[in-house]
């Protein structure tokens, strides 16, 4: 698991980015799969960089602190510029806390369009951190069971708009976890 393997992940990240750009700029529909690739990469990197800290005191808090400090400040800054001064405090609070908001037509979305992926990331960070509290032999199955349960709940209930965090999207993180 040296530099060669992780450099290939960087190449895959570049391919995913190009796919997303092609989707947004040219309407290249298969390009939306680039987001799914990003989710798989994210899950893989999280597990790869934390595989030895499962069950260690403070690992979950440290993990959450690092992820929030890496992801949130730029998102918060962009949210502030996008919302100020034309947005209610309630909407701003929801955005910075990674809580989706309901639009006038009843659909659930994020204030910043790309933020929907961060809502899922933050949710997965919480699930992953909860798994870090346990030794790896229990933590990893707990993460997979939680995400799989959400997938099954989503399939069973066929959520429309109200159930953002249940459904098949969690399969991408499940696919990224290394069971060795």
């Amino acid at each position: 698991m040296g530099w060669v393997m992780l450099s290939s992940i960087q190449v895959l990240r570049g391919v995913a980015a190009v796919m997303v750009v092609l989707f947004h700029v040219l309407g290249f529909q298969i390009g939306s799969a680039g987001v799914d690739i990003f989710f798989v990469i994210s899950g893989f990197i999280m597990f790869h960089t934390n595989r030895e800290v499962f069950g260690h005191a403070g690992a979950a808090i440290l993990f959450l602190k690092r992820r929030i400090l890496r992801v949130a400040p730029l998102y918060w800054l962009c949210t502030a510029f996008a919302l100020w001064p034309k947005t209610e405090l309630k909407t701003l609070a929801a955005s910075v806390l990674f809580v989706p908001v309901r639009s006038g037509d009843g659909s659930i979305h994020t204030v910043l369009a790309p933020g929907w992926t961060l809502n899922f990331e933050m949710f997965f960070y919480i699930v992953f951190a909860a798994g870090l509290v346990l030794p790896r032999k229990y933590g990893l199955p707990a993460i997979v069971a939680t995400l799989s349960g959400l997938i099954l709940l989503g399939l069973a209930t066929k959520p429309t708009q109200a159930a953002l965090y249940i459904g098949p999207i969690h399969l991408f993180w499940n696919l990224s976890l290394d069971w060795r």
Side-chain angles (χ1 to χ4, degrees):
M1 298 276 267
W3 183 85
V4 174
M5 182 172 179
L6 293 181
S7 66
S8 64
I9 293 293
Q10 296 304 325
V11 170
L12 186 58
R13 186 178 280 166
V15 168
V18 168
M19 290 174 72
V20 170
V21 168
L22 289 174
F23 172 75
H24 286 291
V25 174
L26 301 176
F28 183 56
Q29 291 302 309
I30 194 72
S32 65
V35 173
D36 302 333
I37 293 170
F38 276 123
F39 285 152
V40 172
I41 292 169
S42 176
F44 172 81
I45 294 296
M46 274 190 281
F47 181 77
H48 179 74
T49 58
N50 292 283
R51 69 181 301 145
E52 300 304 323
V53 299
F54 275 85
H56 291 197
I61 297 298
L62 183 60
F63 168 77
L64 286 172
K65 187 185 301 184
R66 286 179 176 164
R67 296 312 308 158
I68 290 169
L69 287 174
R70 181 176 173 109
V71 172
L74 181 60
Y75 179 74
W76 291 338
L77 183 64
C78 291
T79 297
F81 282 120
L83 297 178
W84 184 83
K86 58 185 180 245
T87 296
E88 299 176 26
L89 184 59
K90 176 182 165 183
T91 304
L92 180 60
S95 185
V96 299
L97 294 173
F98 301 98
V99 176
V101 294
R102 194 174 294 280
S103 69
D105 67 0
S107 63
I108 294 177
H109 65 92
T110 56
V111 174
L112 294 177
W116 75 269
T117 62
L118 293 179
N119 286 345
F120 279 106
E121 280 283 323
M122 288 297 174
F123 180 74
F124 184 66
Y125 294 164
I126 292 167
V127 172
F128 190 82
L132 284 176
V133 173
L134 303 169
R136 187 170 62 208
K137 71 179 183 175
Y138 302 116
L140 187 56
I143 293 167
V144 171
T146 300
L147 296 175
S148 297
L150 291 169
I151 293 167
L152 293 174
L153 182 61
L155 293 173
T157 61
K158 299 190 185 338
T160 54
Q161 299 170 14
L164 182 65
Y165 294 113
I166 62 175
I169 198 158
H170 299 299
L171 179 61
F172 296 111
W173 280 297
N174 276 349
L175 292 173
S176 68
L177 298 174
D178 181 355
W179 288 83
R180 290 176 277 152

